[in-house]
């Protein structure tokens, strides 16, 4: 019986193994191959060395700065929102969580185009401002618009893990803090925040990773004025057909993502994941 069960478990794992090989391992191997070879297939480090040029360094720095700012804003918004949701009754928690997740059910392109229509010169915001004698203001094509697009699209990734962790905090600990003389602010600082660190770390990672690698948001909301890592990779592959340089940029981006995941695993725990 045990051997039969082990055989069935192995068979059930085969589709996952095949999927991982085709869509995870194989692409990574292709990225590594093109990173350390030239157009003729010769092994070289020139692709990596060329990334030390000021143009590429500025792109990496800009991408990281935008991602950090977007992640910080998401944290500032998401933490009190997650706390508010976690204090609700279970049925209300489900409703509010559904409302947070609702924008994620729409395509990223649709969400981004919606914000473009809202913020453009003839959009909803400028139309309302013009009725009171203000504007129109140039709200697209700047860094603030790019960060806004990142925050809007990736905010649920910050709210959900923090809310999941907070909802599992034993309410008796909060009551005990009150009995020992802590006010609401002290309870937040000394009890809730330390117990929700894993959710915060998970949320930061889940927002930072897509923010640092995004390209469509920066193209549309930034009007093409801001070249981020994702934009450069897309251009190398789709316009210049320079697979080696595109793979090199992807390789460095992959390292940044692995570092982010390592930080999450270092400081997070099993309570920090998303539970839907």
């Amino acid at each position: 019986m045990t051997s039969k069960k082990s055989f069935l478990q192995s068979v059930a794992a085969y589709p996952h193994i095949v999927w991982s090989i085709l869509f995870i391992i194989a692409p990574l191997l292709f990225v590594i191959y093109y990173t350390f070879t030239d157009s003729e297939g010769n092994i070289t480090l020139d692709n990596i060395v060329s990334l030390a040029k000021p143009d590429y360094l500025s792109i990496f720095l800009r991408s990281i700065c935008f991602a950090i700012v977007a992640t910080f804003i998401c944290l500032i918004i998401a933490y009190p929102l997650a706390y508010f949701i976690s204090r609700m009754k279970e049925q209300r928690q489900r409703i509010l969580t559904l409302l947070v997740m609702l924008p994620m059910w729409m395509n990223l392109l649709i969400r981004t185009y919606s914000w473009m229509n809202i913020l453009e010169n003839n959009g909803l915001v400028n139309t309302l401002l013009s009725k009171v004698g203000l504007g129109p203001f140039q709200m697209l094509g700047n860094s603030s618009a790019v960060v806004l697009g990142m925050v809007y699209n990736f905010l649920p990734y910050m709210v959900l893990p923090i809310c999941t962790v907070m909802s599992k905090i034993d309410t008796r600990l909060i009551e005990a803090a009150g009995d020992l003389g802590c006010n609401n602010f002290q309870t937040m600082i000394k009890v809730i925040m330390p117990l929700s660190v894993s959710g915060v770390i998970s949320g930061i990672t889940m927002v930072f990773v897509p923010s640092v690698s995004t390209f469509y948001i920066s193209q549309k909301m930034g009007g093409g004025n801001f070249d981020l890592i994702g934009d450069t990779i897309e251009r190398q592959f789709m316009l210049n057909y320079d697979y080696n340089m595109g793979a090199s940029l992807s390789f460095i981006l992959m390292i940044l993502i692995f570092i982010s995941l390592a930080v999450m695993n270092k400081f997070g725990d099993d309570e920090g994941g998303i539970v839907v």
Side-chain angles (χ1 to χ4, degrees):
M1 179 65 68
T2 303
S3 60
K4 184 177 180 181
K5 183 177 180 180
S6 301
F7 174 75
L8 293 177
Q9 291 176 341
S10 300
V11 171
Y14 287 156
H16 176 71
I17 294 174
V18 173
W19 177 274
S20 299
I21 292 174
L22 291 178
F23 299 104
I24 299 178
I25 298 177
L28 292 179
L29 293 177
F30 277 114
V31 168
I32 295 174
Y33 170 76
Y34 281 110
T35 298
F36 296 101
T37 58
D38 56 21
S39 58
E40 298 179 355
N42 300 317
I43 297 177
T44 180
L45 295 176
D46 292 343
N47 299 322
I48 297 296
V49 173
S50 62
L51 296 181
K53 295 179 180 179
D55 292 341
Y56 287 117
L57 290 178
S58 63
I59 291 173
F60 278 105
L61 181 61
R62 186 184 304 115
S63 301
I64 293 173
C65 289
F66 276 34
I68 290 175
V69 172
T71 303
F72 178 76
I73 295 175
C74 284
L75 178 59
I76 295 300
I77 298 174
Y79 198 90
L81 177 59
Y83 176 75
F84 174 77
I85 295 176
S86 65
R87 296 301 97 191
M88 296 290 101
K89 295 181 179 179
E90 185 175 352
Q91 184 176 2
R92 291 185 178 180
Q93 282 188 33
R94 294 177 180 176
I95 296 175
L96 293 175
T97 302
L98 178 63
L99 293 177
V100 171
M101 295 175 57
L102 193 60
M104 300 171 61
W105 295 0
M106 294 184 293
N107 188 276
L108 174 66
L109 308 184
I110 297 176
R111 299 200 301 266
T112 304
Y113 268 114
S114 298
W115 271 108
M116 291 175 62
N117 291 329
I118 293 174
L119 299 178
E120 64 183 1
N121 292 339
N122 297 323
L124 177 62
V125 175
N126 275 318
T127 300
L128 294 176
L129 291 176
S130 64
K131 291 183 180 299
V132 295
L134 299 176
F137 298 102
Q138 183 63 36
M139 298 183 180
L140 295 175
N142 52 55
S143 58
S144 299
V146 176
V147 172
L148 174 62
M150 292 179 179
V151 171
Y152 174 74
N153 283 289
F154 305 134
L155 180 62
Y157 299 139
M158 183 72 75
V159 175
L160 295 179
I162 297 177
C163 184
T164 299
V165 172
M166 284 186 173
S167 62
K168 295 180 180 179
I169 295 177
D170 194 339
T171 55
R172 291 175 297 181
L173 297 176
I174 300 176
E175 295 172 356
D179 293 338
L180 294 174
C182 290
N183 54 34
N184 292 335
F185 179 76
Q186 292 173 326
T187 301
M188 174 65 69
I189 297 297
K190 296 182 178 181
V191 179
I192 297 176
M193 291 184 68
L195 293 176
S196 61
V197 168
S198 61
V200 171
I201 296 297
S202 179
I204 289 175
T205 305
M206 295 177 67
V207 172
F208 179 81
V209 169
S211 295
V212 78
S213 59
T214 187
F215 64 94
Y216 188 82
I217 295 174
S218 57
Q219 290 178 2
K220 298 304 180 182
M221 302 289 287
N225 297 324
F226 300 94
D227 209 8
L228 304 184
I229 299 177
D231 303 314
T232 307
I233 293 174
E234 183 196 28
R235 184 171 60 253
Q236 295 294 342
F237 278 110
M238 305 303 295
L239 298 179
N240 299 338
Y241 298 102
D242 190 348
Y243 296 159
N244 301 100
M245 185 56 64
S248 301
L249 291 165
S250 302
F251 182 74
I252 299 301
L253 180 59
M254 184 171 61
I255 292 176
L256 290 176
I257 293 174
F258 284 157
I259 291 174
S260 300
L261 295 176
V263 170
M264 183 184 71
N265 291 331
K266 176 69 175 179
F267 297 100
D269 57 29
D270 294 339
E271 300 296 324
I274 291 180
V275 177
V276 179

